[in-house]
Amino acid sequence: MKYYDKLIFELSKEGRRGYTLRRNEFGTSLGIPASLSRSKAPELPQVSEPDVVRHYTNLSQMNFGVDTGFYPLGSCTMKYNPKINEEIAAMPGFTGIHPLQPAKTIQGVLEVYAEMEKILAAVTGMSNFTFAPCAGAHGELTGLMVMRQYHMSRGDVKRTKVIVPDSAHGTNPASAAVCGLSIVEVKSKANGLVDVEDLKPLLNDEIAGIMMTNPNTLGLFEKDIKEIASLVHGCGGLLYYDGANMNPLLGKVRPGDMGFDIMHLNLHKTFSTPHGGGGPGSGPVGVAAHLADCLPVPKVAYCEKCGRYTIKRDVESSAGQVSGFMGNFSVILRAFTYLLALGKQNIRLAGPYATLSANYIKESLKDFYKLPIPSICKHEFVFDGLIDDGSAVAEDGHGATTLDVAKRILDYGFHAPTIYFPLLFHQTIMIEPTETESKETIDAFIGVMKKIAEEAASDPALLRGAPHCTPIRRPDETTAARQPILKYKDCR
Ligand SMILES: *Cc1c(COP(=O)(O)O)cnc(C)c1O
């Protein structure tokens, strides 16, 4: 163990200080009534400034992030987050505001919301957006609440079922269930696309709608989308678009034009704001014009008469309120900065570059990893494990699995791709390089993946013991998830 791997409490030494405060002007009591002041000093670590800085800097280096390395996690869009976004979000005029301030004192903030709504509407082909949802899954729930509200407001109360493809992101069925809707699964064909023939018999007057991702989680464009849209609309249902990873479509195709009625975006994926670690995120929900009145409140509106932005709080037909105020403003601000920095011309390049990167990796590695669906992909694609997993040469007859490959990648300083998702294959490796990586970085990753394939054939035990160079080796993932050791005393 390195010295600074110690807990900050272990570094503590009685009387040591890491701060300098001015002598207070109120004497020792600070004017706090004796009944409210503590009788015993708090049990805080007593450490010098260098010790504090080293402790936290070392902790931060034990983790992996987009700022430390390439992160090709499929269905996650771990792209680079430009630092200008952070600078703008940290401006005191933005950080110093309070959500209960009168609207007339935060006109600039409300203008950001209004402008952002216009940009996202233009990018997606939707009519209006709410920024209240604080994550992608929260956006799904909000969108489904809008869907239900729409049917209820028309007295169409029988519609309680939502169709979800078997390739869907796990949050889709989960959000439908949380919204009190039941789930009907539609199957994919061997080519990875939704089976329209399987869909037809599922459509009836109990269907509230369908949830789809396009390109889907296999990175394939659902080219039957127009037919699917007319079938679902034909039975009175609505189409929900999961736009968490919209990179491949930016500036090329719009969900609104494909026939979708409701959608969410993940600003913390597609629009370059940081994610991971549980937030804060932002999952704005967009709707077609006929659903605009069902969006949650509060909502920014522009008053032509008074020439000012206002906040609408009571809209009778609204699906309700889904978060404290109007979402995570600082995240929206980062995405706004990103969009303005790129502009209309450059945002159009995100899709082609994301698609090119993914196809380049796919073609470069297909002789080493099984490629179950060989067609051109969009922003991501899946392998189904190694072609030669080394089982022939390993003494005990066990080669290397996808898990072993993923663990070995960490030794080479890259984050592993998504593994074992979607569930359509047994050894899934799902790679999403994004548009922000250089060819050199991508080539280095391809080189590592080839090297690991060779290692799997010659020395599979090396993979099975990986990772060898990370702060934590290979925990038992089930135990780590089910019985995590969260107390200091239990681990020392
Ligand atoms: C990430 C993702 C989600 C969920 O977004 P969160 O912000 O993590 O809740 C939903 N659908 C797809 C396709 C995703 O990739």
Side-chain angles (χ1 to χ4, degrees):
M1 192 173 89
K2 284 187 296 179
Y3 180 67
Y4 281 102
D5 285 352
K6 288 184 177 184
L7 288 184
I8 196 155
F9 285 93
E10 293 170 316
L11 298 173
S12 177
K13 183 118 184 66
E14 181 81 44
R16 197 155 283 167
R17 292 194 317 180
Y19 61 86
T20 330
L21 284 187
R22 248 190 289 164
R23 195 188 295 262
N24 82 65
E25 295 149 25
F26 305 99
T28 46
S29 75
L30 289 167
I32 298 169
S35 62
L36 295 178
S37 58
R38 57 165 71 244
S39 54
K40 216 170 105 216
E43 286 182 40
L44 294 174
Q46 303 185 44
V47 276
S48 67
E49 180 173 328
D51 280 346
V52 174
V53 170
R54 286 175 192 154
H55 173 73
Y56 285 107
T57 307
N58 275 289
L59 266 189
S60 76
Q61 314 257 303
M62 292 169 84
N63 212 340
F64 194 99
V66 276
D67 283 353
T68 52
F70 179 49
Y71 207 142
L73 201 64
S75 197
C76 282
T77 312
M78 302 301 295
K79 71 196 220 176
Y80 177 67
N81 309 140
K83 297 298 163 252
I84 176 96
N85 299 355
E86 302 302 318
E87 266 180 57
I88 302 293
M91 284 166 73
F94 290 126
T95 56
I97 55 166
H98 191 280
L100 292 177
Q101 253 175 264
K104 67 174 191 315
T105 66
I106 47 166
Q107 286 295 300
V109 170
L110 301 185
E111 188 176 346
V112 170
Y113 276 100
E115 286 301 309
M116 193 61 177
E117 181 171 13
K118 278 189 220 155
I119 297 175
L120 295 187
V123 167
T124 59
M126 293 287 142
S127 156
N128 293 86
F129 270 86
T130 172
F131 292 91
C134 296
H138 194 190
E140 292 170 26
L141 174 64
T142 304
L144 290 166
M145 286 167 66
V146 166
M147 185 184 281
R148 200 184 50 185
Q149 173 69 11
Y150 169 76
H151 291 309
M152 303 269 271
S153 69
R154 307 167 78 232
D156 201 353
V157 294
K158 258 188 6 192
R159 296 188 185 271
T160 56
K161 294 181 179 166
V162 171
I163 302 174
V164 180
D166 55 6
S167 64
H169 193 272
T171 50
N172 290 187
S175 302
V178 171
C179 194
L181 300 161
S182 52
I183 294 110
V184 185
E185 189 179 273
V186 59
K187 297 255 172 318
S188 304
K189 289 182 291 188
N191 67 1
L193 302 181
V194 164
D195 188 343
V196 178
E197 292 315 310
D198 194 57
L199 174 67
K200 283 179 186 164
L202 304 178
L203 298 169
N204 57 47
D205 62 359
E206 293 182 356
I207 296 298
I210 188 170
M211 296 181 87
M212 284 181 70
T213 308
N214 196 16
N216 64 25
T217 57
L218 297 171
L220 304 171
F221 192 81
E222 299 277 2
K223 56 183 168 29
D224 298 326
I225 187 62
K226 280 277 182 191
E227 187 185 354
I228 293 172
S230 77
L231 284 168
V232 175
H233 284 148
C235 90
L238 298 176
L239 279 88
Y240 184 91
Y241 180 78
D242 178 340
N245 313 279
M246 238 205 52
N247 305 45
L249 299 192
L250 281 182
K252 289 280 163 196
V253 186
R254 307 191 311 166
D257 300 334
M258 291 185 231
F260 286 95
D261 306 283
I262 310 171
M263 67 174 292
H264 82 268
L265 290 163
N266 277 23
L267 298 188
H268 49 287
K269 288 180 183 170
T270 309
F271 297 98
S272 88
T273 77
H275 67 304
S282 178
V285 168
V287 294
H290 63 289
L291 298 167
D293 290 341
C294 300
L295 281 177
V297 283
K299 224 187 148 315
V300 176
Y302 187 71
C303 167
E304 294 285 348
K305 213 169 72 201
C306 48
R308 267 211 309 258
Y309 292 99
T310 58
I311 302 175
K312 269 202 285 188
R313 294 181 196 277
D314 307 304
V315 180
E316 206 184 322
S317 52
S318 160
Q321 184 157 358
V322 298
S323 63
F325 298 97
M326 286 192 294
N328 286 321
F329 175 65
S330 81
V331 180
I332 296 155
L333 196 52
R334 287 175 173 90
F336 185 58
T337 307
Y338 171 73
L339 282 160
L340 292 190
L342 254 67
K344 201 170 170 179
Q345 289 309 315
N346 292 321
I347 198 85
R348 284 177 205 275
L349 298 175
Y353 280 145
T355 302
L356 182 62
S357 303
N359 280 285
Y360 178 53
I361 297 178
K362 170 170 73 65
E363 291 304 310
S364 306
L365 290 176
K366 68 180 182 189
D367 294 337
F368 300 83
Y369 296 85
K370 277 179 226 147
L371 183 62
I373 300 170
S375 48
I376 290 181
C377 64
K378 292 291 176 290
H379 61 305
E380 63 193 3
F381 66 95
V382 299
F383 285 128
D384 188 11
L386 286 150
I387 287 184
D388 181 357
D389 63 9
S391 47
V393 291
E395 272 163 37
D396 56 2
H398 289 99
T401 62
T402 278
L403 179 68
D404 302 324
V405 171
K407 294 292 183 192
R408 185 67 178 143
I409 294 172
L410 306 178
D411 282 336
Y412 289 101
F414 294 127
H415 197 279
T418 298
I419 55 173
Y420 300 112
F421 172 82
L423 305 174
L424 299 173
F425 308 103
H426 291 301
Q427 292 290 331
T428 316
I429 303 175
M430 183 192 209
I431 299 176
E432 180 187 358
T434 82
E435 69 277 14
T436 54
E437 299 300 333
S438 68
K439 176 157 183 298
E440 288 72 22
T441 301
I442 290 178
D443 280 336
F445 175 72
I446 291 169
V448 162
M449 291 297 281
K450 286 183 183 170
K451 180 117 199 293
I452 292 174
E454 282 159 22
E455 289 173 351
S458 61
D459 185 8
L462 179 68
L463 269 65
R464 289 205 302 276
H468 303 277
C469 318
T470 50
I472 290 178
R473 297 285 300 276
R474 192 187 290 213
D476 176 330
E477 291 184 5
T478 312
T479 314
R482 301 258 163 89
Q483 289 156 0
I485 300 170
L486 300 175
K487 274 195 286 180
Y488 167 64
K489 284 206 180 87
D490 297 343
C491 67
R492 299 278 158 146

